[in-house]
Amino acid sequence: NLRLDAEFLLHDVSELDLATGGMPSILLVHGLLSFPLCLDSSHRCLLAAAHYGRGRVVVATHESQLCSPKLAKFLLNAVRWLDAGRQGVVCVAASLKKLCTLLSQEGVKSQVSQLTGDISVYCCTSYGDREAERVHAFVAEGGGLLIGGQAWYWASQNRGKAAVAKYPGNKILNRFGLSILGQSVPAAKHLAVGSGEHYHFREALALFNKHVDMHEELKDPLKNWLQRLTQDCTAFLHIPAHNCPAYASLHRILTKTLKRSGIPQVSRHCPVKSNSKEAALLCMATELSLTMTDSATLVQKPAAGLCDLPVTVEIDGTNPGATSWRSTGLYLPEGHSTVITFPCRVVGAGLKVQIGCHTDDLSHAKELKRAPVVIRSCDIACQKQSVSCLWGGLIYILVPAKSVLGKVPITVEGAVRAPFFKLGETCESQWKDCIRHYPAPWAELAVENLILTVPSDNIRHMENPQPLLTLWNEIMVAISKLAAIPTKFPRPERIVTDVQISCG
């Protein structure tokens, strides 16, 4: 009974002062047998516990919480709950030796040592995963684990990597249905979780699923939980546990919810409020699609205009400037997959595939005129790279700074041709007769130092883009003279039209 467990852990604890000398992270409580012990006013979890196998786990979001006299009563409750009445040996890692002093003051015997022998409770930090397998076995066989640490510093040093998947401590904790996230929160006092209704990721998701099924308007408490639920869904879907039944069950719930509801329509003429069911579904759909090899099942929309045969294009793999996008003149329809074949010499050379050009993240906007995140990029890890994107988009190859790969031929299958005109290179008659009518919804017009990305409908009437691009070329030359820089930029500038931008 998790309610009774929480009552035991919080006995005589009405308030938890987490201002213990460090800035805590946030916990994702996602297991069937995991439960929160401390939530802030935004429903972010700061202390939690779980059952795993025959054992038990308590997690703190900063190691200083495990040695603080302010939390002495809670820590004593935690050690006793983890010990489960065995009155066994409490083993404390050297980095937490102050905890021994605190426990001894409360009459609990403990010793500083590693995880060895016949012990009942092991106390450690979450900053390493070297003992992950031993810790899993220890808890599964009935041991108690008291563990603490933050992940925000790791996240700041490992940008682009999901803490829930890569942070060392989560290689221990994920299996217990608990994960430390890479965001920080101010250290403060919070009320302990009471016996009433409170946020739990699984319960909130089940309630959301019910509301979607019943086509009901959101109401409290779900309406109040929605932002936290959306953020937790995003984090949860990054956990690398696709073969785990607990993960798979939530994955199925999300997939069924989106298939039944459909992906909400969002546009300039049909905006969506940020704290709404529709906004949550948009975010969930995006994150869920990243876990799929093909997100066409979510879109349920056939692709039109696909090229019958693979298309080979050549991109410039040499780049003296900062990371540069190389246009392919191809478009990936929403929800579909493309297979791109690269020469073996570029695999692992730092190139990336990017689908889409609208890079602004609108997650913090109060109203949405498109989904918050509509691009996808991935490293080129093999010669045949399969890429899908829920929202579709123009296909780019990202070339890193200082790359000297020269001309790189790539072959693309499953794409749609997009209108593309470059001043001085594209044949005017081909543009007039054919290229401007290519079916992709986005087009690009380019000069040496500038590329314009616009809706294709805005250029299909244009019989000859040369006068327009000649003017833009003159503008870019004038800019270079004004800035006293070489007339050829290290990489072209880009202007991308977007229905909504993140600021400005």
Side-chain angles (χ1 to χ4, degrees), residues 210-410:
K210 179 183 174 184
H211 274 267
V212 171
D213 275 355
M214 302 293 290
H215 303 285
E216 296 175 342
E217 287 296 316
L218 295 186
K219 52 190 176 186
D220 289 337
L222 182 59
K223 189 174 182 179
N224 195 29
W225 294 345
L226 192 59
Q227 185 177 13
R228 184 73 250 151
L229 174 62
T230 304
Q231 292 169 350
D232 282 353
C233 275
T234 298
F236 175 79
L237 287 168
H238 283 93
I239 296 175
H242 298 80
N243 296 322
C244 171
Y247 178 97
S249 66
L250 285 178
H251 197 281
R252 283 194 299 272
I253 290 172
L254 281 169
T255 304
K256 287 179 181 178
T257 299
L258 285 161
K259 282 184 177 179
R260 282 196 295 263
S261 68
I263 297 174
Q265 295 297 311
V266 57
S267 67
R268 184 196 306 274
H269 305 294
C270 184
V272 165
K273 295 294 182 184
S274 60
N275 193 32
S276 67
K277 176 171 61 177
E278 290 75 19
L281 287 168
L282 287 171
C283 291
M284 290 176 186
T286 299
E287 295 301 328
L288 185 62
S289 71
L290 299 180
T291 70
M292 299 175 163
T293 54
D294 187 350
S295 48
T297 54
L298 294 179
V299 175
Q300 298 176 344
K301 180 180 177 181
L306 289 176
C307 299
D308 295 329
L309 298 172
V311 178
T312 298
V313 296
E314 190 175 71
I315 62 111
D316 185 0
T318 297
N319 177 26
T323 299
S324 183
W325 301 7
R326 302 300 192 212
S327 301
T328 63
L330 296 167
Y331 177 88
L332 179 64
E334 57 190 275
H336 289 266
S337 298
T338 182
V339 176
I340 307 177
T341 304
F342 298 89
C344 60
R345 65 187 175 90
V346 308
V347 176
L351 272 63
K352 293 185 176 185
V353 178
Q354 178 174 295
I355 309 298
C357 53
H358 300 96
T359 56
D360 270 14
D361 184 345
L362 307 179
S363 298
H364 300 292
K366 293 182 179 179
E367 184 178 81
L368 298 171
K369 296 175 183 176
R370 65 162 170 82
V373 178
V374 292
I375 68 161
R376 184 177 188 183
S377 64
C378 61
D379 295 326
I380 297 171
C382 55
Q383 275 191 267
K384 278 204 167 190
Q385 187 88 26
S386 178
V387 187
S388 70
C389 181
L390 180 66
W391 307 108
L394 291 168
I395 301 172
Y396 299 94
I397 306 300
L398 273 54
V399 181
K402 312 304 179 187
S403 174
V404 289
L405 292 170
K407 300 298 181 183
V408 178
I410 65 170

Side-chain angles (χ1 to χ4, degrees), residues 115-136:
L115 178 59
T116 56
D118 186 21
I119 66 171
S120 179
V121 178
Y122 181 53
C123 309
C124 64
T125 63
S126 62
Y127 298 119
D129 59 0
R130 191 174 59 183
E131 293 186 312
E133 289 186 13
R134 291 179 63 203
V135 172
H136 291 154

Side-chain angles (χ1 to χ4, degrees), residues 423 447-449 468-478:
L423 186 66
V447 296
E448 185 175 52
N449 291 327
L468 171 68
L469 293 179
T470 299
L471 174 61
W472 272 110
N473 197 48
E474 291 170 357
I475 291 170
M476 298 308 290
V477 170

Side-chain angles (χ1 to χ4, degrees), residues 145 157 201 221 260 268 282 308 356 406 417 459:
L145 176 67
Q157 302 302 303
F201 171 53
R260 282 196 295 263
R268 184 196 306 274
L282 287 171
D308 295 329
R417 288 191 182 274
I459 56 86

